[in-house]
C-alpha cells in the first residue's frame, strides 16, 4: 500500500469537468470505445510526454491522461502532487490489438522510461511519478508480468537495478483536468521528462 487510507485526501464524488474530446485526433476520450479495442493504463513519470508518445503510435485510437493506483476519488492535480491521494500520473491508452499487439505496446512502455527508480522518474520525485501498469483483463496482466521478467533480464545483463513497476488490475481511472489533456500538443515547447535506460526490451 502506497498510502495509509486514513491519511488519504477525501476527494469528491463528481468527476473533474473536461470536454472529453482529444485535441489531436478529435476522438472521444470517454467510453464506449470501438468494438475490438482494448484499454490499458500506463504510468511512466510525468504524463505529458508519455501521452504524446502513445497517441503517435499506429493502432492507438485515443489517449487520455489521469490518475490511478491510489485512494482519493476524482483527485485534482494539486492533490495528487501532495502524495496524499496514493495515485500516480498515468495515460489511458485505447488501442486496436490487431494493429498494435499488446507486447509491442509494452515494449514501447519499458524502453521509454527507467522502471527501476521507485518513487521518481529522473528529476521528478514523488509517488505520483512511479512506474505502473494497470490492466483491464487477466490476459493483459499475464502479458505485463511476462514482459517485466523479460526486461529485467536485459536490465540485469546491462548492470541496471531491479524493476519497481507496479503491475495490478485497474481499479479506477480518474481523468485529469482539461489543460493536462494532450498538453504537449497545446504547448509544443512544454516540459517532457521521458528518458529511457538505453537498454532494449527483448519483446515485440
Amino acid at each position: 500500500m502506497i498510502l495509509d487510507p486514513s491519511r488519504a485526501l477525501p476527494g469528491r464524488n463528481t468527476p473533474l469537468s473536461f470536454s472529453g474530446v482529444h485535441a489531436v485526433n478529435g476522438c472521444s476520450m470517454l467510453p464506449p470505445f470501438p468494438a475490438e479495442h482494448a484499454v490499458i493504463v500506463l504510468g511512466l513519470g510525468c504524463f505529458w510526454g508519455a501521452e504524446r508518445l502513445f497517441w503517435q503510435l499506429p493502432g492507438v485510437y485515443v489517449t487520455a491522461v489521469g490518475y490511478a493506483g491510489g485512494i482519493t476519488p476524482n483527485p485534482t492535480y494539486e492533490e495528487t502532487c501532495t502524495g496524499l491521494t496514493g495515485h500516480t500520473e498515468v495515460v489511458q491508452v485505447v488501442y486496436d490489438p490487431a494493429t498494435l499487439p499488446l507486447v509491442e505496446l509494452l515494449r514501447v512502455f519499458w524502453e521509454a522510461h527507467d522502471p527501476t527508480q521507485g518513487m521518481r522518474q529522473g528529476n521528478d520525485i514523488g509517488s505520483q511519478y512511479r512506474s505502473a501498469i494497470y490492466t483491464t483483463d487477466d490476459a493483459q496482466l499475464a502479458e505485463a508480468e511476462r514482459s517485466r521478467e523479460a526486461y529485467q533480464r536485459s536490465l540485469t545483463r546491462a548492470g541496471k537495478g531491479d524493476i519497481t513497476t507496479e503491475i495490478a488490475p485497474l481499479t479506477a481511472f480518474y481523468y485529469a483536468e482539461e489543460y493536462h489533456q494532450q498538453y504537449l500538443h497545446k504547448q509544443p515547447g512544454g516540459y517532457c521528462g521521458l528518458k529511457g535506460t538505453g537498454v532494449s526490451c527483448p519483446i515485440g
Side-chain angles (χ1 to χ4, degrees), residues 5-184:
S6 67
R7 297 182 59 232
L9 297 175
R12 55 206 46 80
N13 294 325
T14 306
L16 302 181
S17 168
F18 80 122
S19 71
V21 177
H22 198 280
V24 177
N25 64 23
C27 293
S28 174
M29 293 183 278
L30 297 165
F33 300 119
E36 311 305 323
H37 282 57
V39 179
I40 195 166
V41 173
L42 304 169
L44 50 163
C46 175
F47 49 22
W48 293 342
E51 187 190 17
R52 180 175 61 183
L53 172 72
F54 292 120
W55 86 53
Q56 293 176 343
L57 295 180
V60 169
Y61 171 73
V62 76
T63 56
V65 296
Y67 315 107
I71 299 166
T72 301
N74 299 297
T76 65
Y77 178 73
E78 288 75 16
E79 288 170 343
T80 300
C81 287
T82 67
L84 295 177
T85 70
H87 294 296
T88 188
E89 295 186 17
V90 292
V91 184
Q92 178 177 266
V93 182
V94 182
Y95 65 101
D96 179 1
T99 303
L100 179 62
L102 177 59
V103 68
E104 179 62 23
L105 182 56
L106 289 170
R107 183 188 64 77
V108 173
F109 165 82
W110 291 119
E111 292 182 355
H113 74 302
D114 183 347
T116 71
Q117 294 197 339
M119 299 298 170
R120 66 182 299 164
Q121 196 61 212
N123 292 327
D124 295 327
I125 300 172
S127 59
Q128 71 270 29
Y129 299 116
R130 70 186 186 273
S131 175
I133 301 173
Y134 299 117
T135 59
T136 56
D137 61 42
D138 291 343
Q140 278 188 352
L141 182 64
E143 190 70 65
E145 290 174 343
R146 283 193 295 271
S147 72
R148 176 174 57 189
E149 292 167 5
Y151 196 40
Q152 183 64 70
R153 289 192 291 270
S154 293
L155 290 172
T156 300
R157 284 195 295 270
K160 304 292 186 180
D162 293 338
I163 290 174
T164 59
T165 303
E166 177 185 0
I167 299 178
L170 179 68
T171 55
F173 169 77
Y174 299 107
Y175 290 91
E177 295 85 343
E178 182 76 38
Y179 76 96
H180 289 298
Q181 306 294 340
Q182 299 85 59
Y183 181 85
L184 291 182

